[in-house]
């Protein structure tokens, strides 16, 4: 079903290019990377890594047409520093490069930020133009239904300090990702979840299902073994199917599921940290998707 949807969109774009070659040549395909929770002024190196970005953007006709968003996603989604910054940076990228077709790669809370933008087009005059330009959003481990770990962090128990490296301590964005808070946002301000209007552009989730920390398994080291150990601990607070930060249900809670990790990554699983790294061929899948 999802494969058919994606190929339908691609075939449609090819048909338009064939029918209107002059107009098509005037436009460009670009890719945007949208980080997760926190303030990441150097999202290229500190959040995604140069290796991941370079691997993915090579799938573009012009690999120079990419943008790495760097905003303060420790704020509430509607704040100027959050969705306002997101809108400003995406709009500037589109205008400066005559982007007519844009694939957006998000990670974690970045998926919520893109859903907020697409669900609230009247909030900012730049949002409609951005939405029009989007081909689709690939949401890597999106926190669409929130996570109990956000509740634990806000409640001030032991996870307040141990999760600081993962999501920030008691920030507004962490408050947003509490399970009951996300249920409220999904029922009122955001589209794409069950029983709600569809998003204006397709939102495809990539779901991580487990955390590996076996010392003699090389898969446990992709993205950094210490991060794997931390996620192994937090996984104890989550259902069996989780990436150490989010349940599989939360990751699949909005839009459509493109795939669960093992289905397309040679049987390997993606932890929450690994889903923003070039692990097990994930980068190649995203590259070929462009």
């Amino acid at each position: 079903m999802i494969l058919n949807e994606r190929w339908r969109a691609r075939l449609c774009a090819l048909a338009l290019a064939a029918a209107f070659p002059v107009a098509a040549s005037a436009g460009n395909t670009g890719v945007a990377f949208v980080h997760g929770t926190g303030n990441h002024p150097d999202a290229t190196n500190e959040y995604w890594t140069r290796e991941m970005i370079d691997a993915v953007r090579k799938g573009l006709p012009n690999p120079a047409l990419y943008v790495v968003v760097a905003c303060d996603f420790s704020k509430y989604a509607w704040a100027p520093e959050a969705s306002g910054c997101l809108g400003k940076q995406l709009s500037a990228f589109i205008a400066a490069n005559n982007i007519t077709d844009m694939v957006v790669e998000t990670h974690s809370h970045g998926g919520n930020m893109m859903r907020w933008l697409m669900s609230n087009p009247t909030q900012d005059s730049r949002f409609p133009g951005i939405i029009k330009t989007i081909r689709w959003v690939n949401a890597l481990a999106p926190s669409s239904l929130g996570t109990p770990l956000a509740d634990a962090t806000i409640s001030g128990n032991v996870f307040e300090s141990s999760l600081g490296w993962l999501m920030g301590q008691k920030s507004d964005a962490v408050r947003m990702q509490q399970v009951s808070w996300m249920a409220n946002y999904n029922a009122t301000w955001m589209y794409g979840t069950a029983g709600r209007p569809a998003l204006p552009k397709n939102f495809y989730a990539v779901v991580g299902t487990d955390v590996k920390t076996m010392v003699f398994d090389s898969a446990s080291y992709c993205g950094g073994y210490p991060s794997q150990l931390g996620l192994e601990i937090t996984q104890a607070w989550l259902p069996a199917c989780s990436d150490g930060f989010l349940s599989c249900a939360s990751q699949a809670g909005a839009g459509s599921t493109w795939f669960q990790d093992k289905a397309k990554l040679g049987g390997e699983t993606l932890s929450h940290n690994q889903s923003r790294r070039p692990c097990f061929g994930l980068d190649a899948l995203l590259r070929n998707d462009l």
Side-chain angles (χ1 to χ4, degrees), residues 43-53 55-56 107 140 221-224 227-228 265 270-284 286:
T44 296
N45 297 296
E46 177 263 326
Y47 194 89
W48 292 99
T49 73
R50 172 57 65 184
E51 182 183 6
M52 178 65 161
I53 290 168
V56 174
H107 182 257
L140 309 172
Y221 293 85
C222 189
S227 296
Q228 293 294 99
L265 301 178
L270 288 172
S271 73
H272 196 67
N273 187 56
Q274 289 174 334
S275 55
R276 58 188 171 113
R277 297 285 185 264
C279 293
F280 322 125
L282 174 62
D283 53 322
L286 297 176

Side-chain angles (χ1 to χ4, degrees), residues 35-76:
H35 63 78
T37 306
N39 186 10
H40 298 285
D42 184 17
T44 296
N45 297 296
E46 177 263 326
Y47 194 89
W48 292 99
T49 73
R50 172 57 65 184
E51 182 183 6
M52 178 65 161
I53 290 168
D54 287 349
V56 174
R57 68 186 179 92
K58 287 177 182 176
L60 291 169
N62 180 354
L65 298 183
Y66 75 100
V67 63
V68 182
V69 167
C71 291
D72 188 356
F73 291 165
S74 68
K75 307 294 186 181
Y76 287 119

